[in-house]
Amino acid sequence: MRKLVYYVAVTLDGFIAAEDGTFDGFIFEGDHMAGINAVYPDTVPTQFREAVGLQDAPNPNFDTVLMGRHTYQVPGGPASPYAHLRQLVVSTSLTGTPPDVEVISADAAGRVAALKEEDGLDIWLCGGGKLAAELLPQIDKLLLKIHPVAFGRGIPLFDGKAGLTTFRRTDAQLFESGVSFMTYER
């Protein structure tokens, strides 16, 4: 069975983006970038893969990416941000997506349960916080890039009602940039 893996950058105070949905405050330069990209090349947006030498890299971890509408519709972002993966967006209002982007307009939890039963690599939950809170009972693993910054306010890692869920830390990597890469499993 495939796993649903919530892989995301997060601040020390638990936010995945600023209040306006931007994430400029995260650290995009440093030893953590090469270290993480070497293990998770499938999470680099298609438009940046060539620039970091990953244009021909296989997808070792994920073959599917699941996003909320706001994560998908980053201002100025491409219409197909992860063309090297199967792309699914959860939204009740989104229209006009390219053919390689599937929109899930109802029963996201049911659709994720069906995806987990399919053959293939794991499913990457890319964001956002509301979708993560809704799908928390189905999240099998957390991959958190914890940046040494605090936003004060913003979009939380889990934005909404979510019951108590326990994970155990299974790996930790510390980088000179100050970023910690933490792995937690249900």
Side-chain angles (χ1 to χ4, degrees):
M1 176 184 275
R2 297 171 7 143
K3 292 181 179 177
L4 180 61
V5 180
Y6 189 20
Y7 170 94
V8 68
V10 63
T11 64
L12 292 173
D13 51 352
F15 298 109
I16 61 171
E19 285 182 298
D20 63 359
T22 61
F23 41 86
D24 316 16
F26 288 114
I27 301 167
F28 292 102
E29 294 182 4
D31 61 327
H32 68 283
M33 294 298 291
I36 295 170
N37 288 350
V39 179
Y40 294 97
D42 23 15
T43 63
V44 176
T46 304
Q47 69 180 15
F48 300 122
R49 287 171 66 92
E50 185 172 353
V52 295
L54 296 172
Q55 66 273 15
D56 297 322
N59 297 326
N61 307 288
F62 307 109
D63 60 13
T64 303
V65 60
L66 180 67
M67 302 168 270
R69 183 180 60 82
H70 293 291
T71 300
Y72 170 70
Q73 288 187 313
V74 173
S80 184
Y82 298 100
H84 58 283
L85 300 171
R86 179 179 177 191
Q87 303 172 93
L88 297 100
V89 179
V90 177
S91 173
T92 57
S93 60
L94 185 63
T95 59
T97 59
D100 66 337
V101 176
E102 177 185 335
V103 177
I104 301 169
S105 59
D107 190 20
R111 184 71 171 102
V112 167
L115 286 168
K116 288 174 80 171
E117 293 295 326
E118 294 177 359
D119 288 334
L121 298 175
D122 287 338
I123 304 155
W124 170 29
L125 174 56
C126 181
K130 285 182 178 23
L131 181 58
E134 179 183 344
L135 296 176
L136 181 57
Q138 292 179 278
I139 295 174
D140 301 294
K141 186 185 228 180
L142 301 171
L143 298 175
L144 302 178
K145 296 177 287 186
I146 304 170
H147 288 247
V149 298
F151 285 177
R153 292 194 288 201
I155 299 169
L157 184 63
F158 295 100
D159 188 5
K161 291 185 180 184
L164 177 65
T165 306
T166 304
F167 291 86
R168 64 181 169 82
R169 190 188 73 224
T170 57
D171 194 26
Q173 288 180 281
L174 307 177
F175 293 95
E176 290 298 317
S177 64
V179 173
S180 302
F181 188 71
M182 308 299 280
T183 303
Y184 297 91
E185 297 193 45
R186 186 177 289 278

